[in-house]
Amino acid sequence: MKYFNKTLLAVSIALVSSQTMASGFQSNSQSATGFGRAFAGDAVIADNASVLSRNPAAMALFDETSYSVGLSYIDIDISVKDIELVGMPPENGYGSVNSAGTNKFIPNFYYIQPINDKFAFGIGAFTNFATGTDAGSLANSTINHPVTGDPIPAPVDLLGNTEVTTMNFNASVSYRINEQFSVGAGIDLVYGQGTLTREGNLPIGPGGAVVPANLVDVDADGIGFGGIVGATYEIDANNRLGFSYRFSPEFKAEGDIDTLNTQLGAVVSFDEIVIPLPDIMQFAGFHQLNEKFAVHYTAQLTTWGDFDQITVNEGSVAGNVIVDEAPLKVYQWEDSWLFSVGGTYTINDKFTARAGIMKDQAVAGEISSISIPDSDRTWYTAGFSYAMTPKASIDFGLAVVRGEDATVIENSAIVGDISAHTRSDAVYYSLQYSSSF
């Protein structure tokens, strides 16, 4: 069994986790109304300006200037239990992390301005990708070999702090072709920021002495450009369909990107980290069955197969470039679907109630990760709107997300194969104000 491999230490790091509770590190947190109905039909309902985050063509459904502003809070519950060396007695495990997730506030803002009976313009700010997890509490733990008694360090390369957040700033236009068909397109300016650390006690000192080691230290940010296209089809006044496709950039971030290469006995500093973000395609429908009740649904595909690996560029030691490009972490994720269905019930002219359920597929394929407690998830959601005036409302949404228990085996470059049992749950709370004039 392998207990320490110096040559692989610098390239074994887990960048992201799924604790935002959508596939991969995708964040479904664009609006309180969306939360209330499990985002079912969000690309075509157009009951407030937040539809801009899902489908620019739906702006053609507005005949008044509208805006929405909101804030979501994510209460994360991630457990990574019974972290053990494969092949070792269970009592020799490293322990468990019961609260590895980092809670987050996520804001959003949308504004839609009809120009005439054909064109509309809109701007929005929202998040499509975010994550935050800290499993570093076990990084300094050790276990003893049951036969030799030699200390075996923790899999430091798999444990640590990760904070990754992106923010979309979108500008879009829509065009109404006729009474039934509208199209739209927009440009996304995506700002991203990431902080990653992997550090702990390792036997890399003189004579194999255990010393503190900082394997990875990343603090980087950057800007990328993407886009979105969409269409809506109004079957009649009570039934409509929507489609959109968001093109995400290959995101590049610059900053302090340092990894410890124990083979060289030096810290390698990289100028750039490259993260390939996936595209998002969705189809939605809305059907007003009677004056009180409507049903709606969404099918969404995220091309996580594009997220094959994370690379770093221009690695140097003491100012001398030693490598142009290197893989930092290989993922080989798979494309994933989510399906949601919801209902909206108009109680009276003041209150509207919503509820929905969503099934969200995991993305990890043959390569799983302790730091990615990924599994199929089910969302149970509810919400309501209160109309303060005929043109202004307060919306509240609540989502309870339950992930399936998963058993993960991952290779640590430090100690070998590690197994663990993971589970990811969350509760979302979202509040939003919407108005038109």
Side-chain angles (χ1 to χ4, degrees), residues 56-266:
M59 293 191 298
L61 301 173
F62 289 76
D63 55 13
E64 293 182 304
T65 300
S66 300
Y67 70 91
S68 295
V69 58
L71 183 67
S72 299
Y73 176 72
I74 312 173
D75 184 3
I76 305 298
D77 181 14
I78 294 179
S79 62
V80 184
K81 296 184 177 181
D82 303 326
I83 303 174
E84 303 167 357
L85 268 170
V86 174
M88 295 284 281
E91 60 268 19
N92 280 32
Y94 292 100
S96 304
V97 181
N98 292 319
S99 300
T102 302
N103 298 342
K104 284 183 176 294
F105 285 97
I106 300 179
N108 58 72
F109 172 78
Y110 310 96
Y111 176 86
I112 294 175
Q113 173 66 64
I115 299 173
N116 53 39
D117 59 356
K118 290 290 188 180
F119 286 97
F121 169 78
I123 56 175
F126 52 94
T127 297
N128 278 327
F129 302 100
T131 185
T133 186
D134 190 352
S137 60
L138 299 180
N140 293 324
S141 61
T142 60
I143 61 175
N144 294 322
H145 192 280
V147 177
T148 66
D150 295 334
I152 304 174
V156 177
D157 51 336
L158 308 183
L159 306 171
N161 180 59
T162 301
E163 293 285 341
V164 179
T165 303
T166 68
M167 196 72 185
N168 268 46
F169 299 93
N170 172 271
S172 295
V173 295
S174 67
Y175 177 72
R176 177 173 288 281
I177 297 175
N178 54 42
E179 291 185 357
Q180 291 182 301
F181 192 56
S182 303
V183 295
I187 297 175
D188 289 328
L189 185 154
V190 184
Y191 171 78
Q193 189 275 333
T195 302
L196 302 96
T197 59
R198 299 292 184 268
E199 57 186 350
N201 295 328
L202 292 175
I204 59 176
V210 175
V211 297
N214 194 341
L215 306 185
V216 179
D217 189 357
V218 176
D219 188 359
D221 63 0
I223 292 175
F225 288 92
I228 184 172
V229 295
T232 62
Y233 182 73
E234 299 170 67
I235 302 171
D236 54 39
N238 295 317
N239 300 276
R240 51 186 180 267
L241 305 174
F243 172 84
S244 68
Y245 194 100
R246 170 162 265 115
F247 303 89
S248 297
E250 183 179 69
F251 190 79
K252 298 180 179 180
E254 298 179 351
D256 299 322
I257 306 168
D258 299 322
T259 65
L260 174 64
N261 188 309
T262 53
Q263 187 178 27
L264 298 175

Side-chain angles (χ1 to χ4, degrees), residues 160-410:
N161 180 59
T162 301
E163 293 285 341
V164 179
T165 303
T166 68
M167 196 72 185
N168 268 46
F169 299 93
N170 172 271
S172 295
V173 295
S174 67
Y175 177 72
R176 177 173 288 281
I177 297 175
N178 54 42
E179 291 185 357
Q180 291 182 301
F181 192 56
S182 303
V183 295
I187 297 175
D188 289 328
L189 185 154
V190 184
Y191 171 78
Q193 189 275 333
T195 302
L196 302 96
T197 59
R198 299 292 184 268
E199 57 186 350
N201 295 328
L202 292 175
I204 59 176
V210 175
V211 297
N214 194 341
L215 306 185
V216 179
D217 189 357
V218 176
D219 188 359
D221 63 0
I223 292 175
F225 288 92
I228 184 172
V229 295
T232 62
Y233 182 73
E234 299 170 67
I235 302 171
D236 54 39
N238 295 317
N239 300 276
R240 51 186 180 267
L241 305 174
F243 172 84
S244 68
Y245 194 100
R246 170 162 265 115
F247 303 89
S248 297
E250 183 179 69
F251 190 79
K252 298 180 179 180
E254 298 179 351
D256 299 322
I257 306 168
D258 299 322
T259 65
L260 174 64
N261 188 309
T262 53
Q263 187 178 27
L264 298 175
V267 172
V268 181
S269 297
F270 293 88
D271 290 341
E272 185 178 66
I273 185 169
V274 182
I275 305 170
L277 297 177
D279 295 345
I280 304 170
M281 179 185 71
Q282 64 179 257
F283 171 80
F286 172 82
H287 306 282
Q288 188 74 44
L289 302 183
N290 53 49
E291 292 183 358
K292 293 287 188 178
F293 186 63
V295 296
H296 24 86
Y297 47 85
T298 286
Q300 176 177 290
L301 173 68
T302 304
T303 63
W304 281 114
D306 297 335
F307 187 73
D308 53 351
Q309 69 177 21
I310 292 168
T311 56
V312 284
N313 296 333
E314 297 297 320
S316 62
V317 176
N320 299 314
V321 176
I322 62 171
V323 59
D324 292 329
E325 179 181 289
L328 190 60
K329 180 69 177 179
V330 175
Y331 287 94
Q332 297 181 7
W333 282 359
E334 299 175 348
D335 295 350
S336 70
W337 284 93
L338 69 78
F339 302 94
S340 65
V341 61
T344 299
Y345 183 78
T346 302
I347 300 172
N348 52 43
D349 59 354
K350 289 292 186 181
F351 286 97
T352 301
R354 303 178 183 87
I357 187 170
M358 177 163 66
K359 291 287 188 178
D360 191 10
Q361 287 182 329
V363 300
E366 295 182 0
I367 301 178
S368 57
S369 175
I370 291 173
S371 63
I372 305 177
D374 194 40
S375 65
D376 292 348
R377 289 160 294 273
T378 303
W379 296 55
Y380 306 95
T381 76
F384 68 89
S385 295
Y386 171 69
M388 299 178 294
T389 73
K391 294 188 177 184
S393 66
I394 294 289
D395 303 287
F396 175 76
L398 172 70
V400 177
V401 186
R402 292 292 177 258
E404 298 179 0
D405 294 328
T407 299
V408 175
I409 296 179
E410 183 176 15

